[in-house]
Amino acid sequence: MDMLDDTPRSKSNRKLDAYWMPFTANRQFKASPRMLVGAKGLHYTSDDGREILDGTAGLWCCNAGHGHTEIADAVHRQLLEMDYAPSFQMGHPLAFEFAERLKDLAPDGFEHVFFTGSGSESVDTALKIALAWHRARGEGSRTRLIGRERGYHGVGFGGISVGGLVNNRRHFGTLLTGVDHLPHTHAPEHNAFSRGQPEWGAHLADDLERLVGLHGAETIAAVIVEPVAGSTGVLVPPKGYLQRLREICDKHGILLIFDEVITGFGRLGTPFASQFFGVMPDIFTTAKGLTNGAVPMGAVFTTDRIHDAFMNGPEGTIELFHGYTYSGHPIACAAGLATLDIYERDGLLTRAASIAPVWEEALHGLKDAPHVVDIRNLGLIGGIELASRPGAPGARAYDVFTACFQEGCMIRVTGDVIAMSPPLSIGEAEIAQLIGTLRKVLERTE
């Protein structure tokens, strides 16, 4: 029976009803599904046989594009050799090899990698490491975590506590206690249509001094921010903002965590955003592009300074009581190693630096398109903000999203912001197609 068959049956047996979809208007989707059945290169294939240009690298994760046989072959070989190995008090060679390869890509000084199963797990891991690090050094009073308004750090209780997206928080009680938030950096009255980093706003980092004055530095463990905030609508940090955060954290003995789940693995034209901005955190999180989206996996990077503080006491003592059943999963490691080979072979971790000017010109060419009130870009990330319909925030952008899909291009919307992050292998012709389709759709959207 066809998946979309409408033969009468009890609702509980409908094939679309069984799957409770994440971050989706389920009833709306199931009334008019958008099904993807194949992927290769820069394109998906829809269930009606149409080719869909991927303007979002899946969900910010398929940085090398789709359908790489090298990844599939590596996963197949590993499945036949060893499908799973426990990571508690046991190991397997691929996890150590993958960690070493990742260390070589990371900024100088990041010598250690803790594997997780997702970006959300990476964030919760980083927060726990930060709290435990202060305690290991005799500063157990540092239990407060500082996030940022409009920040997104996954969906674990730690991540939504330090996150600042109200819809992600409002339904789930009081969350973690002892959490506070910096203001976001979105200031269109000063920075509308900025190309790259905005000029105005570095002083917003100084609000951390206010929080220190309110709570006391001796209570604050860590500050976590996305170098470029993605899921909230592409908020690019003002010039000097991240540097100022680093200075204040250093001044008060606070750890700085970068959430690089989106910006990691070439999105800005360097392997990691810290290298692009020249600002080094104490800990940073990754996922998504780690395996090119092929197998769920995440990784947290730390320095010797962080790691070695735990390596005390009897050698038989577990240093950090934390981990996951699927930490360092052999199948994910195989996919990750093959992904790194592709990134290296095709120069993808730095390619965004060369294609970014073309991307920027194309994006800002939409400045005169209907409903556009702001455009933001950095590296191979773009955000186009639309004016909201009166009384219906998000409705206009959603209509643009669905119309673009029908026209053969996949974009992403968050509120009334169109967010795009195509595979790093995208060329000028595909950029022109993506932006041209978007203009056509905007011109006919009410």
Side-chain angles (χ1 to χ4, degrees), residues 201-446:
H203 66 284
L204 296 171
D206 291 336
D207 200 66
L208 181 54
E209 289 282 17
R210 181 187 66 81
L211 297 181
V212 169
L214 174 65
H215 300 297
E218 74 280 1
T219 72
I220 302 175
V223 172
I224 181 168
V225 296
E226 301 156 274
V228 178
S231 295
T232 190
V234 184
L235 305 186
V236 178
K239 292 178 180 177
Y241 173 85
L242 295 175
Q243 288 84 349
R244 182 64 182 139
L245 275 185
R246 177 73 273 178
E247 291 167 3
I248 298 171
C249 286
D250 286 342
K251 175 182 174 182
H252 296 291
I254 300 167
L255 295 180
L256 179 60
I257 302 170
F258 278 179
D259 184 345
E260 292 225 35
V261 170
I262 282 176
T263 55
F265 300 101
R267 185 52 55 185
L268 300 182
T270 53
F272 301 101
S274 55
Q275 295 154 320
F276 178 88
F277 292 111
V279 179
M280 294 301 125
D282 299 291
I283 303 169
F284 69 93
T285 67
T286 65
K288 294 189 183 291
L290 182 66
T291 65
N292 201 47
V295 179
M297 193 182 204
V300 179
F301 291 70
T302 71
T303 61
D304 280 340
R305 174 173 173 250
I306 301 298
H307 171 270
D308 291 354
F310 293 91
M311 301 300 136
N312 296 304
E315 286 190 3
T317 300
I318 294 173
E319 296 92 1
L320 180 65
F321 280 82
H322 174 71
Y324 304 96
T325 299
Y326 299 117
S327 290
H329 195 290
I331 308 307
C333 289
L337 286 164
T339 295
L340 293 187
D341 288 342
I342 293 167
Y343 287 157
E344 181 178 359
R345 181 196 70 200
D346 296 344
L348 293 180
L349 295 183
T350 56
R351 187 174 185 275
S354 60
I355 199 71
V358 176
W359 177 246
E360 178 177 278
E361 285 298 319
L363 281 174
H364 284 272
L366 293 171
K367 183 176 182 178
D368 64 341
H371 316 301
V372 173
V373 296
D374 192 16
I375 296 172
R376 303 182 283 273
N377 70 281
L378 197 68
L380 206 50
I381 304 175
I384 300 169
E385 188 157 354
L386 307 182
S388 296
R389 286 182 185 147
R396 177 173 282 136
Y398 179 81
D399 287 349
V400 171
F401 160 69
T402 57
C404 281
F405 185 79
Q406 290 305 314
E407 293 289 338
C409 288
M410 192 168 80
I411 60 173
R412 185 167 185 265
V413 294
T414 172
D416 270 306
V417 178
I418 297 164
M420 293 181 290
S421 55
L424 303 175
S425 50
I426 195 169
E428 293 188 28
E430 291 85 11
I431 291 174
Q433 178 190 346
L434 182 62
I435 302 304
T437 299
L438 189 51
R439 173 176 283 279
K440 179 169 68 172
V441 169
L442 286 168
E443 287 176 347
R444 70 180 191 224
T445 298
E446 296 295 329

Side-chain angles (χ1 to χ4, degrees), residues 23-219:
F23 281 112
T24 299
N26 277 252
R27 291 164 296 169
Q28 184 183 61
F29 176 89
K30 290 165 187 178
S32 182
R34 293 169 296 279
M35 294 289 189
L36 304 172
V37 298
K40 187 69 175 177
L42 297 171
H43 297 85
Y44 282 103
T45 302
S46 63
D47 62 346
D48 57 359
R50 294 181 302 114
E51 195 173 67
I52 309 294
L53 178 62
D54 183 4
T56 58
L59 200 57
W60 310 86
C61 52
C62 301
N63 290 2
H66 302 277
H68 287 280
T69 57
E70 301 96 321
I71 298 175
D73 289 344
V75 167
H76 181 238
R77 287 193 301 270
Q78 186 58 42
L79 277 168
L80 294 177
E81 183 174 325
M82 183 175 64
D83 53 355
Y84 174 78
S87 57
F88 300 176
Q89 304 286 11
M90 299 293 293
H92 65 90
L94 282 189
F96 295 91
E97 180 183 352
F98 192 27
E100 192 70 23
R101 290 278 302 276
L102 290 169
K103 183 189 79 170
D104 292 342
L105 277 181
D108 290 344
F110 285 88
E111 301 288 331
H112 306 280
V113 178
F114 193 106
F115 286 120
T116 72
S118 67
S120 294
E121 290 182 3
S122 289
V123 166
D124 279 12
T125 297
L127 296 176
K128 290 175 76 173
I129 288 173
L131 293 168
W133 182 78
H134 285 294
R135 180 173 290 275
R137 296 172 63 254
E139 294 190 70
S141 64
R142 290 186 181 264
T143 59
R144 191 172 300 278
L145 301 167
I146 306 296
R148 186 167 57 182
E149 296 169 2
R150 293 188 65 171
Y152 178 72
H153 301 292
V155 295
F157 270 95
I160 59 175
S161 296
V162 295
L165 296 177
V166 64
N167 285 333
N168 289 15
R169 296 165 53 86
R170 61 169 25 124
H171 305 291
F172 306 113
T174 57
L175 308 179
L176 296 186
T177 59
V179 175
D180 213 331
H181 293 77
L182 295 166
H184 62 71
T185 62
H186 187 213
E189 68 276 18
H190 296 287
N191 295 325
F193 298 101
S194 292
R195 292 174 177 245
Q197 287 186 263
E199 297 289 340
W200 186 95
H203 66 284
L204 296 171
D206 291 336
D207 200 66
L208 181 54
E209 289 282 17
R210 181 187 66 81
L211 297 181
V212 169
L214 174 65
H215 300 297
E218 74 280 1
T219 72

